[in-house]
Amino acid sequence: PTVEMPTPEEIEAKKRAEREQKTPKTTEELAEQVSVMKANNQEIQAIKLVREQTGMSLYDAKNYVDSIAAKTQ
């Protein structure tokens, strides 16, 4: 039996679909979650959440969390 490997396009489409499923309904919801987590000294968990929900790089997710925290202070 031959196993058929997915094409790079199929792999990317699957990853994109998974990210879309994880994406919160609005960016305001994500920002609120991040704000609460940051206030509770959960910065690393907030960065992980942003990365999971948006597919951002570590660098971009950290900057996003820091910018949300700066807006709420």
Side-chain angles (χ1 to χ4, degrees), residues 27-47 49-50 64-65 68-73:
T27 55
E28 289 81 21
E29 290 175 6
L30 180 58
E32 179 63 29
Q33 273 185 292
V34 166
S35 179
V36 169
M37 292 173 87
K38 183 82 173 175
N40 290 325
N41 294 320
Q42 297 177 319
E43 181 177 7
I44 293 172
Q45 291 88 339
I47 293 168
L49 176 70
V50 170
Y64 177 80
V65 169
I68 295 297
K71 289 179 187 177
T72 59
Q73 290 179 353

Side-chain angles (χ1 to χ4, degrees), residues 3-22:
V3 177
E4 201 169 304
M5 299 297 291
T7 65
E9 293 81 16
E10 291 170 333
I11 293 170
E12 186 57 39
K14 183 179 179 184
K15 286 181 183 178
R16 191 170 36 256
E18 288 173 356
R19 278 195 304 266
E20 288 170 1
Q21 287 177 348
K22 292 180 183 178

Side-chain angles (χ1 to χ4, degrees), residues 38 43 47 50 57-67:
K38 183 82 173 175
E43 181 177 7
I47 293 168
V50 170
S57 69
L58 177 59
Y59 178 82
D60 290 336
K62 170 125 177 42
N63 286 340
Y64 177 80
V65 169
D66 289 344
S67 73

